[in-house]
Each structure stands twice: as C-alpha cells, then as structure tokens.
C-alpha cells in the first residue's frame, strides 16, 4: 500500500487504489484480493464491488471520508473543514450562517476563498507535474522566434559543450545543426559583460580567443538575438 502522499487525484476521488493483485482502501487500507469472490448476505461480489460496498459501509460517501481526513493531509483548517461539510449537505448560506453563528456574507466569503484555494491548487499540481518531466532550459532573452531549436535540457547542453569546446575553451568546429549552434553561441555570449558596450574590433578580440572564424560567429550573435548593434555597426552590446 503506497503512502497517502503518492495517491493521485483519481485515487482520492474513487476512494481506493487498484494494484495488479488487489484493491486497497485509501482511508483505512482495507484490501480485497482480485482473485477472491466475497459473500455478503447470501450474495457474491467481485473484489471491486466489495471495495465500493466497503467504502459506503465504513466511510459513507467518498466526499465525507475525504473531509474527515486530518488537516495534515487536506491542508484545511478546522473551520474550513466544518463549512465544507455543510456545503456538502447542500444547505443554504442562511442556514449555514445560523448554525455557525456568522453572517451570510461571511459564508459567501468562505466560498470565494475556497474557490481561490482550488484555483491555486490546480496551478500547483500543474507545476509539480511539469517538474517531474525533464526540464528545459529557458531561452535567452533576445530569442526572436521560440521553436523546437530551444527545447534544450541541461544534460543536452553539457554534452554539446563537451563536444564542441576543447579544454582550453576553443571551439573545435562550429556546429551546423540549429540546437547545437544555439548552445555554442550562448556560451560565447557569456564572455561579454551586459553592462558594457563594445566596438566591432573589441567583439572580434573576444571571439578570437574561442574560434578562428570570428566574423561569422559575430554575425550569428546578432542574427540569433544574443547581441545587438547600432545601425552603423560601430557599437555592440549583449542583449
């Protein structure tokens, strides 16, 4: 049985977890073997149907069982749990206000805050789901057209750098493939100070330390948006 931190939204909504061999209750860890048939009051039930019966018999509805979970699992305060239990009973705001000794406007405010909490939870779940995937490095700020060329992971970047730069930081051969070209240019761009302006000769001097064909690379730095220059070409700066 996996710990509650690993349950999915679907697990919680149905109230049980299905494994290859059985069904396990999310709320009490009761387990029913898939290969067994379960007799109840003269009738016979599959493991799945017996699990659904179990939840109804011992926990009521799935919603009521979820609301009864400790705050360490729900992230809800006691007052939030109490008012959600009343919302689940589908009673009016006026009735809720009378039972809790608060105003109807306070009840409406609770509804608003809980809706906001739901929206925040949706964003948070999306963030955590994406973090489990291989993250892509953000493109440089001057990128003029974002496409598949910029779908670069950290491991890809490290491999490209190791392939095209020698131990002294000199480029063995400038790549022709776009993704590799962007990585190499991003490394070269780091050689420039974003707070400084450079003459064309100064840009050439920096690039000469890393590649023989510095003229072509200087042009690429402009074309790919890593650097900008004035119309007369006299002044360059890092984007």
């Amino acid at each position: 049985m996996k710990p509650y931190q690993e349950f999915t939204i679907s697990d919680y909504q149905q109230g049980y977890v299905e494994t290859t061999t059985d069904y396990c209750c999310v709320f009490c860890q009761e387990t029913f073997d898939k290969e067994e048939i379960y007799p109840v009051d003269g009738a016979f039930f599959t493991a799945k149907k017996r699990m659904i019966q179990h939840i109804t018999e011992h926990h009521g509805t799935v919603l009521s069982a979820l609301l009864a979970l400790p705050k360490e699992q729900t992230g809800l305060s006691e007052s939030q749990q109490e008012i959600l239990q009343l919302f689940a009973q589908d009673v009016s705001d006026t009735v809720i206000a009378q039972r809790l000794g608060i105003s109807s406007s306070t009840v409406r405010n609770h509804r608003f805050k809980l809706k906001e909490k739901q929206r925040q939870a949706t964003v948070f779940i999306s963030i955590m789901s994406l973090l489990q995937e291989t993250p892509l490095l953000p493109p440089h700020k001057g990128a003029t057209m974002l496409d598949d060329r910029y779908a670069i992971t950290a491991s890809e970047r490290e491999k490209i750098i190791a392939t095209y730069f020698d131990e002294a930081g000199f480029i063995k051969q400038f790549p022709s493939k776009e993704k590799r070209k962007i990585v190499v240019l991003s490394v070269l761009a780091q050689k420039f100070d974003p707070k400084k302006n450079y003459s064309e000769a100064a840009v050439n001097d920096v690039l000469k330390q890393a590649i023989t064909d510095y003229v072509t690379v200087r042009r690429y730095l402009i074309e790919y948006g890593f650097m900008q220059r004035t119309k007369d070409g006299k002044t360059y700066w890092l984007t």
Side-chain angles (χ1 to χ4, degrees), residues 6-233:
E6 297 181 13
F7 290 149
T8 65
I9 293 175
S10 177
D11 292 338
Y12 280 120
Q13 288 179 337
Q14 65 187 5
Y16 61 86
V17 180
E18 180 180 358
T19 69
T20 55
T21 58
D22 49 39
Y23 295 95
C24 302
C25 179
V26 165
F27 308 110
C28 68
Q29 288 76 56
E30 182 72 31
T31 303
F32 295 98
D33 193 314
K34 286 183 175 181
E35 295 186 359
E36 294 288 334
I37 297 296
Y38 296 87
V40 179
D41 298 331
F44 296 90
F45 298 89
T46 63
K48 184 175 182 179
K49 287 188 176 181
R50 186 68 191 98
M51 172 57 70
I52 295 171
Q53 279 185 333
H54 162 81
I55 292 172
T56 302
E57 293 169 358
H58 295 273
H59 306 291
T61 65
V62 173
L63 178 57
S64 63
L66 287 170
L67 288 172
L69 290 173
K71 62 181 180 181
E72 290 79 14
Q73 287 179 249
T74 64
L76 298 169
S77 66
E78 290 182 8
S79 61
Q80 287 174 326
Q81 282 185 308
E82 183 178 25
I83 202 163
L84 278 170
Q85 287 169 347
L86 292 171
F87 288 164
Q89 296 172 29
D90 198 27
V91 295
S92 67
D93 289 358
T94 302
V95 172
I96 293 174
Q98 291 172 345
R99 291 186 184 182
L100 299 182
I102 57 179
S103 67
S104 295
S105 62
T106 301
V107 176
R108 290 193 295 272
N109 188 47
H110 273 292
R111 286 188 185 276
F112 173 80
K113 287 184 177 180
L114 288 166
K115 282 289 185 181
E116 183 64 24
K117 190 178 183 73
Q118 178 187 21
R119 286 190 287 269
Q120 292 170 343
T122 302
V123 173
F124 180 71
I125 289 171
S126 301
I127 291 170
M128 295 305 293
S129 296
L130 290 171
L131 282 175
Q132 293 175 7
E133 300 175 5
T134 303
L136 299 178
L137 296 174
H140 63 280
K141 292 181 179 180
T144 55
M145 184 175 66
L146 300 181
D147 50 31
D148 290 344
R149 295 176 300 172
Y150 291 93
I152 303 168
T153 66
S155 59
E156 282 180 315
R157 176 180 168 82
E158 291 177 5
K159 185 177 180 179
I160 291 170
I161 291 173
T163 300
Y164 288 93
F165 288 85
D166 62 20
E167 294 181 357
F170 201 83
I171 298 173
K172 306 168 188 176
Q173 181 181 359
F174 196 79
S176 58
K177 292 188 176 181
E178 291 294 292
K179 183 180 289 189
R180 298 175 185 179
K181 190 183 296 184
I182 288 169
V183 170
V184 170
L185 289 173
S186 71
V187 175
L188 294 174
Q190 293 175 4
K191 297 180 179 293
F192 297 89
D193 187 340
K195 296 181 180 180
K196 292 183 178 180
N197 290 335
Y198 294 84
S199 66
E200 184 175 287
V203 172
N204 291 343
D205 289 340
V206 172
L207 295 178
K208 284 177 185 178
Q209 300 173 36
I211 191 167
T212 302
D213 188 6
Y214 58 87
V215 174
T216 299
V217 171
R218 187 188 70 224
R219 186 178 72 251
Y220 281 150
L221 286 171
I222 297 296
E223 288 181 2
Y224 284 82
F226 287 96
M227 298 191 79
Q228 296 183 55
R229 64 183 175 186
T230 55
K231 291 182 179 180
D232 58 12

